[in-house]
């Protein structure tokens, strides 16, 4: 897996390097997945370039489906002993897509709506949990790339910026190089290459047992190629190559999809319990429900309680236990039993309120009785 990036002036060199890789006799079918740049046809005019354009609708779901398709082709090529499949994907567009998604969600939360009501031109910052959601989706997408048993080339772009303070004013510090992609791509790739306006790229990082650091590799020359780096330097052997087992740390569905099913009035308590378990990895994530923001886990628990249907036998036994409690300590042991029944969906919200009333009435009766017994005992002690 390569990560190849450079400045605004290096776009042509990156396209040319990728096109040359697809022309190599040592590679098999090649796919070009362009996201938001529209340059997938430009490389076709380069001599020998041979690739297929991946069609998608620009959504994360469509891109993920396309990657699954490429994975299937690559796996079949490996099984048939064919040269490795090549995938080229433009990661600047992917990161822009996820950033726009996070911003759109932040703009519509309660705090942002109030701020824009007061000032329609107010600057809305992306909230931390929305930004983290975009990181999680990016992690899933990169995991899909790593599952492709072939040569994956992630292209990117970077630029120099002068550091500024919170008000946007320059601080006078030295310029910094900033990527227009997710900052972690370099640590994921087997090799990170940077073109800086020259013909020979810099090896920024290498994550391979063949070299502990970039300086351990032979220096690149002007006739460098991704083909030579993959097969000759990194030693790619299609017959022995295997993809790592990558499990993305996120639920199968988005928090919004889980919540949408949870608020459906036809969703039963039993199904609500399943949704609660499905969403467990993101229970702390904040979502918007009925114009109010709250954490997903407590929200699902509350909605589940509202869907509970009472078990008449269980409710009757609880009322009986409350009525026959002969002392305050005995009565105080019952809330644990009541909560256990509530957690199992055996007590509806209405019956929960009735139990609370019954419990409170019995508690007051027992306290009156205990106070009367205490007064009688005190009077007997005084009389004696």
């Amino acid at each position: 897996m390569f990560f190849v990036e450079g400045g605004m002036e290096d776009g042509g060199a990156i396209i040319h390097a990728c096109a040359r890789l697809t022309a190599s006799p040592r590679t098999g079918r090649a796919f070009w997945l362009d996201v938001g740049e529209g340059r997938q046809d430009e490389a076709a005019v380069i001599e020998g370039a041979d690739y297929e354009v991946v069609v998608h609708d620009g959504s994360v779901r469509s891109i993920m489906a396309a990657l699954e398709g490429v994975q299937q082709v690559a796996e079949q090529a490996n099984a048939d002993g064919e040269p490795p499949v090549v995938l080229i994907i433009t990661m600047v567009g992917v990161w822009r897509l996820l950033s726009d998604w996070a911003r759109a969600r932040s703009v519509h939360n309660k705090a942002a709506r109030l701020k824009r009501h007061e000032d329609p031109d107010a600057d809305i910052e992306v909230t931390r949990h929305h930004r983290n959601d975009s990181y999680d989706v990016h992690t899933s997408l990169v995991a899909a790339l790593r599952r492709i048993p072939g040569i994956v080339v992630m292209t990117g772009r970077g630029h120099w910026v002068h550091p500024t303070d919170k008000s946007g004013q320059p601080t006078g510090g030295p310029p910094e190089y900033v990527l227009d992609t997710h900052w972690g791509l370099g640590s994921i790739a087997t090799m990170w290459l940077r073109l800086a306006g020259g013909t020979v790229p810099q090896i920024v990082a290498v994550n391979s047992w063949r070299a502990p650091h970039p300086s351990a590799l032979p220096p690149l020359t002007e006739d460098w190629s991704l083909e030579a780096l993959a097969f000759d330097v990194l030693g790619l052997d299609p017959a022995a190559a295997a993809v790592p087992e990558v499990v993305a740390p996120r639920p199968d569905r988005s928090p919004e999809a889980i919540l949408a099913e949870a608020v459906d009035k036809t969703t039963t308590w039993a199904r609500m319990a399943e949704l609660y378990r499905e969403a467990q990895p993101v229970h702390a994530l904040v979502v918007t429900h009925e114009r109010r923001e709250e954490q997903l886990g407590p929200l699902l628990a509350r909605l589940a309680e509202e869907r509970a249907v009472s078990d008449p036998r269980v409710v009757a036994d609880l009322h009986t236990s409350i009525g026959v409690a002969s002392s305050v300590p005995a009565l105080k042991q019952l809330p644990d039993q009541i909560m256990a029944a509530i957690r199992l969906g055996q007590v509806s919200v209405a019956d929960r309120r009735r139990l609370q009333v019954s419990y409170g009435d019995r508690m007051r009766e027992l306290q009156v009785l205990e106070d009367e017994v205490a007064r009688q005992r005190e009077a007997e002690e005084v009389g004696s």
Side-chain angles (χ1 to χ4, degrees):
M1 178 179 283
F2 292 100
F3 177 42
V4 186
E5 51 91 3
M8 301 294 291
E9 72 279 10
D10 298 307
I14 293 175
I15 292 175
H16 194 275
C18 292
R20 288 173 57 201
L21 178 62
T22 69
S24 169
R26 292 197 278 183
T27 61
R29 291 177 65 183
F31 299 89
W32 201 299
L33 201 163
D34 181 275
V35 183
E37 294 192 4
R39 294 184 174 182
Q40 63 272 25
D41 296 324
E42 295 182 12
V45 300
I46 297 175
E47 183 178 358
D50 183 14
Y51 60 89
E52 303 167 48
V53 174
V54 179
V55 178
H56 60 90
D57 64 12
S59 67
V60 173
R61 178 173 299 179
S62 179
I63 293 171
M64 292 291 285
L67 294 179
E68 290 179 5
V70 174
Q71 178 184 345
Q72 293 173 3
V73 173
E75 289 173 343
Q76 188 61 51
N78 273 15
D80 295 341
E82 298 175 356
V85 164
V86 172
L87 171 67
I88 299 160
I89 180 170
T90 54
M91 297 302 288
V92 172
V94 169
W95 188 236
R96 185 182 300 117
L97 168 66
L98 296 178
S99 298
D100 290 346
W101 175 63
R103 177 167 291 279
R105 296 179 67 200
S106 295
V107 165
H108 291 94
N109 66 21
K110 182 178 180 181
R113 289 198 304 270
L114 291 174
K115 190 174 182 180
R116 291 170 60 210
H117 179 73
E118 298 175 356
D119 180 7
D121 298 324
D123 183 25
I124 304 299
E125 295 185 2
V126 177
T127 62
R128 181 172 59 182
H129 62 272
H130 288 154
R131 185 182 295 109
N132 288 342
D133 287 350
S134 68
Y135 290 167
D136 289 343
V137 175
H138 187 273
T139 298
S140 295
L141 191 144
V142 169
L145 291 175
R146 296 183 65 192
R147 286 193 290 267
I148 296 174
I151 302 174
V152 176
V153 182
M154 304 177 292
T155 68
R157 190 166 54 243
H159 60 281
W160 291 93
V161 298
H162 290 279
T164 60
D165 56 24
K166 292 184 178 180
S167 64
Q169 298 300 315
T171 61
E176 302 173 351
Y177 190 81
V178 178
L179 292 172
D180 293 334
T181 62
H182 188 279
W183 52 267
L185 288 181
S187 63
I188 295 167
T190 310
M191 182 176 288
W192 175 3
L193 300 171
R194 174 175 297 161
L195 285 84
T199 57
V200 180
Q202 170 194 0
I203 301 178
V204 180
V206 59
N207 299 296
S208 171
W209 62 270
R210 291 183 174 273
H213 45 77
S215 61
L217 295 173
L220 300 183
T221 58
E222 291 191 3
D223 62 347
W224 76 278
S225 68
L226 291 173
E227 174 194 355
L229 289 174
F231 293 98
D232 303 329
V233 176
L234 296 177
L236 173 62
D237 180 1
V243 297
E245 184 67 26
V246 181
V247 179
R250 69 186 304 269
D252 293 337
R253 294 193 295 165
S254 69
E256 288 78 10
I258 296 173
L259 180 59
E261 183 177 352
V263 299
D264 187 336
K265 297 300 183 182
T266 63
T267 303
T268 64
W269 180 90
R271 178 57 182 158
M272 290 294 298
E274 294 174 356
L275 294 177
Y276 186 86
R277 290 191 293 270
E278 178 185 353
Q280 189 168 7
V282 288
H283 274 181
L285 191 148
V286 177
V287 294
T288 302
H289 174 57
E290 294 181 346
R291 298 186 177 183
R292 186 176 64 180
E293 293 185 341
E294 52 186 312
Q295 290 184 324
L296 182 61
L299 173 59
L300 291 176
R302 178 168 58 80
L303 292 174
E305 290 180 2
E306 295 174 0
R307 304 295 166 77
V309 178
S310 288
D311 182 327
R313 181 183 59 81
V314 172
V315 173
D317 288 346
L318 290 173
H319 276 293
T320 299
S321 297
I322 292 173
V324 300
S326 57
S327 65
V328 170
L331 185 62
K332 286 183 176 180
Q333 295 179 3
L334 295 179
D336 288 342
Q337 299 179 30
I338 296 173
M339 289 307 301
I342 291 173
R343 284 193 292 269
L344 292 173
Q346 298 172 330
V347 180
S348 67
V349 172
D351 277 325
R352 179 177 182 176
R353 295 193 183 102
R354 295 188 187 100
L355 286 168
Q356 289 173 337
V357 171
S358 178
Y359 182 88
D361 291 343
R362 184 57 179 164
M363 178 63 75
R364 285 187 289 272
E365 291 174 0
L366 291 173
Q367 288 174 338
V368 169
L369 289 174
E370 289 190 358
D371 289 344
E372 185 174 344
V373 170
R375 284 195 297 270
Q376 290 177 356
R377 184 179 297 111
E378 184 179 352
E380 290 174 357
E381 292 176 353
V382 172
S384 62

